[in-house]
Amino acid sequence: IAETFQDGPDADAGEPPTTRMGNILNASRSATRDMILEGLDSSDPDLAREVRDTIFTFADIPEKLKPQDIAKIQSEVTREDLLVIISGAQGDDTAAIDFYLSNISQRLAENLREEASEFDAATEEETETAMLKVVNGIRALESSGSIKFIAPET
């Protein structure tokens, strides 16, 4: 699969194929991303691990960000997006929202939880769209050097 991303007409000269694959998967819906990674796990576990190392999703926030980074990303997150995420988060994403809320002021976190509880649960599409906005903001901060991802343990 990695060969598919090598030397194509749009190939980014300095970017390894696994990074390009990760970038594509970062922009994909979570169900699509999970299906592709499961397929890679069964056919080429080493490639799957390398691609996973390049991916940053909303669920990765607790593992890849330091608690003090949350204050820095608050400017990248709208209240509306947070409310959508809080009301629609499921699975691993709930741990990420809990991490986020535990690293902002207790009063603000309580207000957000209360306000979100008054909403109807956001749809999966609305939730993923809001999460992608947050993730893109975090990636922009990481690219600019404002924050640094925690290196995965090997």
Side-chain angles (χ1 to χ4, degrees):
I1 293 175
E3 292 82 18
T4 304
F5 293 91
Q6 292 176 344
D7 304 325
D10 296 325
D12 189 356
E15 209 168 65
T18 52
T19 300
R20 289 196 305 268
M21 289 174 65
N23 290 340
I24 291 168
L25 293 176
N26 274 328
S28 301
R29 294 184 55 92
S30 60
T32 302
R33 181 176 50 245
D34 293 345
M35 181 181 65
I36 291 171
L37 288 171
E38 286 174 16
L40 279 176
D41 279 332
S42 63
S43 65
D44 191 340
D46 291 333
L47 177 61
R49 181 187 42 74
E50 288 179 44
V51 172
R52 273 194 174 85
D53 287 346
T54 68
I55 294 174
F56 177 74
T57 65
F58 191 83
D60 294 327
I61 289 173
E63 291 83 36
K64 292 192 176 181
L65 293 179
K66 298 176 201 141
Q68 61 268 29
D69 289 338
I70 298 301
K72 295 174 186 170
I73 68 170
Q74 277 188 283
S75 64
E76 302 294 319
V77 180
T78 68
R79 183 178 192 87
E80 294 76 23
D81 286 337
L82 271 178
L83 293 172
V84 167
I85 294 167
I86 293 167
S87 70
Q90 297 177 4
D92 292 339
D93 297 325
T94 58
I97 197 64
D98 289 341
F99 177 81
Y100 184 95
L101 293 174
S102 68
N103 288 293
I104 61 174
S105 81
Q106 185 176 1
R107 184 176 179 173
L108 177 57
E110 288 172 7
N111 287 341
L112 287 167
R113 285 188 192 275
E114 184 178 318
E115 196 172 335
S117 71
E118 296 170 5
F119 280 55
D120 291 332
T123 66
E124 183 179 337
E125 184 176 338
E126 292 168 331
T127 305
E128 283 198 18
T129 298
M131 288 178 182
L132 187 56
K133 289 179 189 176
V134 172
V135 166
N136 287 339
I138 293 170
R139 280 194 207 116
L141 288 171
E142 196 269 339
S143 292
S144 73
S146 297
I147 62 172
K148 188 172 181 178
F149 290 145
I150 297 171
E153 293 182 18
T154 55

